[in-house]
Amino acid sequence: MHALEWQNNSVTFIDQTKLPEKEVYITTTNYQVIIEAIKSLKIRGAPLIGIAAGYGVALACLELLRNNSQTYLMDLKTIIDEFKNTRPTAVNLFWALRRMEKFLNSQDTLESITENIIKEAIQIHFEDKLMCDQIGKIGNQLIPEEASILTHCNTGSLATGGEGTALSIIKYAHKSGKKINVFVDETRPLMQGARLTTWELIQAGIKSTLITDSTAAFLMQQKKVDLVVTGADRITVKGFAANKIGTYNLAVLANFHNLPFYIAVPSSSIDPEISEPEQIIIEERDPDEVRKIMDKYISPQNVNVFNPSFDITPPELINGIITEEKIYRFPYQAEFLRLKSIR
Ligand code: MRU
């Protein structure tokens, strides 16, 4: 199962808003379809957003060539900026777009710029798949032979170019013969856990149990959880980690119950440019996402709503950040600064 594919100069992706009820695939050569899909969460998950933006820019280049644009480079810059304005929190988006932007200064022909941008987008996708495999392998070292793992949101094949981040670890542990049970937070308001993670885990033949977000504390108190692992959309140099709203709750709870709390990310989710939590832009989404369930209002239609899509977990609550390179341990700053210098 692939969340997104590049074939014959077009992109095919699964519409994640329709899952698990319907498996709807959309094929497009129109970059605006990708922009809309990222905004509406048809395509979602930090690494996949970056991959999709790369392919979206590639589609835009092909369109500009087809239309014989006399202002190709200027138009391309505007389109890259449009992609930057889709979602603010996942740093993978900006990381991928920076890789696209470097071609704007090229002296090559427009045909070879287009060709190189397509190659770069495919390379970003390929690298992410490899990083997912490595995260799974490295993270598996932290998983006991028998483990009850709590996770949040969706961090699997639907969120990445490969097997996932936190879910890649869970899949790797399962494949290596460990006895795994996964508690899946439903992840209000858009239910990525209930709709997507359970769907992926059932397909992978991994035992999973769906819980409401507010059940986590009771489960831990009952000693039914051994560890927590989630993904992240952006990690600062000091190790502050932005991830789906509700992740911070889990970190606090795990700390209180003396349980390990891990975050798994490709290194493209580490933002070498910022240190402090205040520097992370937290996306706030449509109030109706909270007022409604399954398109039906469950609250007065005019009630005031606060709907941040992400929260920020402080580094001292994270027992390890698992990347494709290694497991980083608190304090993170020195090693993440080293990453900055080699990038
Ligand atoms: O709003 P979403 O569904 O894009 O949020 C996704 C998450 O918060 C994931 O946990 C994160 O992107 C890591 S995915 C490997």
Side-chain angles (χ1 to χ4, degrees), residues 328-339:
Y328 292 93
R329 300 279 187 180
F330 181 81
Y332 300 102
Q333 188 163 11
E335 292 211 77
F336 286 174
L337 276 174
R338 185 189 56 83
L339 271 184

Side-chain angles (χ1 to χ4, degrees), residues 100 160 273 276 333 342:
M100 297 288 130
T160 64
E273 304 301 325
E276 305 303 332
Q333 188 163 11
I342 57 174

Side-chain angles (χ1 to χ4, degrees), residues 44-47 87 153-155 159-160 165 192 232-233 243-244 310:
R44 48 147 299 281
R87 296 190 74 190
C153 198
N154 172 268
T155 61
T160 64
T165 56
Q192 289 91 333
D233 283 65
N243 191 46
K244 181 54 58 197
F310 302 96

Side-chain angles (χ1 to χ4, degrees), residues 23-84:
E23 262 181 66
V24 177
Y25 289 87
I26 297 172
T27 298
T28 187
T29 53
N30 182 348
Y31 76 89
Q32 272 149 345
V33 171
I34 306 291
I35 288 188
E36 190 283 327
I38 295 173
K39 286 184 179 167
S40 62
L41 270 63
K42 291 187 178 92
I43 294 173
R44 48 147 299 281
L48 195 71
I49 293 172
I51 294 164
Y55 284 141
V57 172
L59 290 181
C61 293
L62 287 165
E63 188 178 314
L64 292 170
L65 265 193
R66 263 197 314 274
N67 296 344
N68 247 326
S69 168
Q70 297 305 301
T71 49
Y72 176 108
L73 288 175
M74 233 166 62
D75 294 350
L76 193 57
K77 188 176 173 344
T78 310
I79 292 166
I80 291 176
D81 288 343
E82 276 180 56
F83 274 99
K84 284 184 188 166

Side-chain angles (χ1 to χ4, degrees), residues 73 99-106 113 116-117 120:
L73 288 175
R99 287 178 63 163
M100 297 288 130
E101 261 171 346
K102 68 175 193 256
F103 296 99
L104 289 176
N105 299 324
S106 160
I113 292 179
N116 288 334
I117 282 186
E120 188 72 358

Side-chain angles (χ1 to χ4, degrees), residues 17-226:
T17 60
K18 300 275 193 304
L19 287 171
E21 209 187 338
K22 287 188 211 133
E23 262 181 66
V24 177
Y25 289 87
I26 297 172
T27 298
T28 187
T29 53
N30 182 348
Y31 76 89
Q32 272 149 345
V33 171
I34 306 291
I35 288 188
E36 190 283 327
I38 295 173
K39 286 184 179 167
S40 62
L41 270 63
K42 291 187 178 92
I43 294 173
R44 48 147 299 281
L48 195 71
I49 293 172
I51 294 164
Y55 284 141
V57 172
L59 290 181
C61 293
L62 287 165
E63 188 178 314
L64 292 170
L65 265 193
R66 263 197 314 274
N67 296 344
N68 247 326
S69 168
Q70 297 305 301
T71 49
Y72 176 108
L73 288 175
M74 233 166 62
D75 294 350
L76 193 57
K77 188 176 173 344
T78 310
I79 292 166
I80 291 176
D81 288 343
E82 276 180 56
F83 274 99
K84 284 184 188 166
N85 285 324
T86 50
R87 296 190 74 190
T89 308
V91 71
N92 312 62
L93 171 71
F94 303 92
W95 170 84
L97 291 173
R98 256 200 314 275
R99 287 178 63 163
M100 297 288 130
E101 261 171 346
K102 68 175 193 256
F103 296 99
L104 289 176
N105 299 324
S106 160
Q107 301 302 317
D108 285 348
T109 62
L110 300 183
E111 284 76 11
S112 43
I113 292 179
T114 303
E115 207 174 294
N116 288 334
I117 282 186
I118 293 172
K119 274 193 200 143
E120 188 72 358
I122 293 171
Q123 179 64 18
I124 287 172
H125 193 171
F126 176 71
E127 285 172 21
D128 191 68
K129 186 187 174 311
L130 294 184
M131 290 194 279
C132 287
D133 290 344
Q134 275 303 106
I135 290 167
K137 194 170 167 190
I138 292 174
N140 183 38
Q141 296 163 23
L142 299 166
I143 310 294
E145 282 305 313
E146 206 169 307
S148 239
I149 304 173
L150 176 55
T151 192
H152 194 64
C153 198
N154 172 268
T155 61
S157 306
L158 290 167
T160 64
E163 291 295 337
T165 56
L167 273 202
S168 176
I169 297 171
I170 289 168
K171 290 176 191 171
Y172 199 99
H174 169 76
K175 276 193 200 138
S176 66
K178 293 182 179 173
K179 211 169 154 228
I180 303 297
N181 174 43
V182 188
F183 285 108
V184 181
D185 266 2
E186 61 180 355
T187 318
R188 273 283 284 153
L190 294 182
M191 303 297 193
Q192 289 91 333
R195 295 187 303 103
L196 309 176
T197 301
T198 54
W199 187 73
E200 271 200 62
L201 288 173
I202 287 171
Q203 288 195 6
I206 300 173
K207 190 177 163 212
S208 60
T209 306
L210 177 63
I211 56 169
T212 64
D213 297 337
S214 43
T215 302
F218 184 56
L219 261 189
M220 291 184 190
Q221 192 184 45
Q222 299 265 304
K223 305 211 177 311
K224 296 212 167 115
V225 177
D226 298 307

